[in-house]
Amino acid sequence: MRTSREVKLTAAGHALLEEAPLALAALERAAERTRLAGAGITGTVRLGYPPPASFETLGAILAAVESANPNMTVIASELFSAEVPGGVLAGELDIGLALHPEPMTGISTEALRVEPLAALLSKRHRLGHAKSIPLADLEHETLLLFPRELAPAYYDHIIETCERAGFQPQVRAFAKPPARAMLARLLGARDVGLVPASFAFDLAQAQPGIVARKIVNPQILAEWSILWLARAQSAAIERFLDSARRCASDNRWLTPQDTTATAETDSLTARSR
């Protein structure tokens, strides 16, 4: 409102003055979200992973993705390795992690990590006080594993390594193994679990009465792979893959930590290419 002596804002003008900065800020945020979306930095990625990834492996990958892509949302779902490729192919998942996944037409697969298996057992087990356990010492033990159909190639790899060490392992498998039932058997000092070392040592720290021990002479190496749909790849998926690869490189996940494991590591990674 203008008079001959002064200029005053009307009530509407005051309201506009108060609201204008908020509106401009909202427009700036919208423009920034549009820019990030165009660069593939934002968006949602649906990730499937098997239970043994739930400690170190998954945590390291998600931290790397968040660091490089703070506006990206990752929806993670726990599945078994045999279920992951089908979920990716069906469009239910954008990216999957799996142990020794079976080849599937239309799915791209890349080795991300090779690590040894470790034994999970009760402190009261006869091998519980050993610093490490030669594989042959498990000949007369019952190995607590998963049903073969949940990760066929991974299961066969464990059995074949035991056979090369000179024995046919005795296996107890739970149907879609409930974690509490498995832990109960381990705490009873009856069975020995074989799981990736990154999972075993974290679980042993969190569960009183359970210890993790290295398997040696020979090691059993497990290979983690990352999977995605070959024919449809968004910028967000590419950025997720880049972050996962950088995580693997920074942590030397594909570099053998034990020189005795070099030959088997080379063999595993060669088969994934």
Side-chain angles (χ1 to χ4, degrees):
M1 178 183 296
R2 179 183 295 273
T3 68
S4 59
R5 296 184 179 181
E6 59 182 336
V7 176
K8 291 184 179 180
L9 286 174
T10 63
H14 279 292
L16 179 62
L17 184 64
E18 293 175 358
E19 296 294 333
L22 298 176
L24 288 173
L27 286 172
E28 289 175 358
R29 289 195 298 271
E32 178 65 5
R33 286 196 298 271
T34 301
R35 183 187 69 79
L36 292 173
I41 301 175
T42 188
T44 298
V45 171
R46 298 162 300 166
L47 171 69
Y49 67 94
S54 57
F55 283 101
E56 181 184 291
T57 300
L58 180 65
I61 292 171
L62 292 182
V65 170
E66 183 178 6
S67 176
N69 311 279
N71 293 285
M72 182 182 291
T73 300
V74 178
I75 300 175
S77 303
E78 187 174 282
L79 301 168
F80 292 102
S81 286
E83 299 171 325
V84 171
V88 173
L89 191 62
E92 298 166 356
L93 301 172
D94 299 305
I95 291 179
L97 291 175
L99 284 160
H100 298 255
E102 299 285 341
M104 184 175 289
T105 301
I107 299 295
S108 294
T109 304
E110 184 177 321
L112 194 68
R113 181 176 193 173
V114 175
E115 63 171 321
L117 297 191
L120 272 177
L121 61 166
S122 168
K123 288 181 178 179
R124 298 184 292 107
H125 192 281
R126 70 177 186 88
L127 298 172
H129 296 290
K131 291 183 178 180
S132 60
I133 300 174
L135 182 57
D137 285 1
L138 298 179
E139 179 176 3
H140 302 295
E141 300 297 330
T142 298
L143 302 184
L144 193 59
L145 296 179
F146 47 89
R148 182 182 180 276
E149 61 268 20
L150 299 184
Y154 177 40
Y155 183 98
D156 291 346
H157 175 60
I158 294 172
I159 301 302
E160 289 166 4
T161 306
C162 291
E163 291 174 344
R164 288 198 300 270
F167 69 99
Q168 181 68 39
Q170 304 172 42
V171 174
R172 181 187 303 277
F174 283 97
K176 294 210 171 181
R180 289 183 180 179
M182 296 180 71
L183 286 172
R185 289 205 62 86
L186 294 178
L187 286 168
R190 291 170 289 195
D191 301 334
V192 176
L194 288 181
V195 295
S198 60
F199 178 76
F201 286 95
D202 281 339
L203 182 60
Q205 288 182 349
Q207 179 63 50
I210 297 292
V211 296
R213 297 291 182 255
K214 293 180 180 180
I215 299 293
V216 297
N217 301 326
Q219 292 182 324
I220 304 176
L221 296 181
E223 182 177 282
W224 292 96
S225 292
I226 192 165
L227 305 85
W228 66 96
L229 196 62
R231 60 179 170 79
Q233 188 170 329
S234 70
I237 291 174
E238 185 58 46
R239 292 188 68 86
F240 187 105
L241 293 172
D242 286 344
S243 296
R245 292 174 182 129
R246 191 175 306 111
C247 176
S249 177
D250 290 347
N251 289 286
R252 303 180 67 215
W253 278 353
L254 291 173
T255 302
Q257 301 301 307
D258 186 329
T259 55
T260 63
T262 303
E264 189 178 355
T265 302
D266 291 343
S267 175
L268 284 169
T269 53
R271 287 202 298 270
S272 70
R273 292 172 184 165

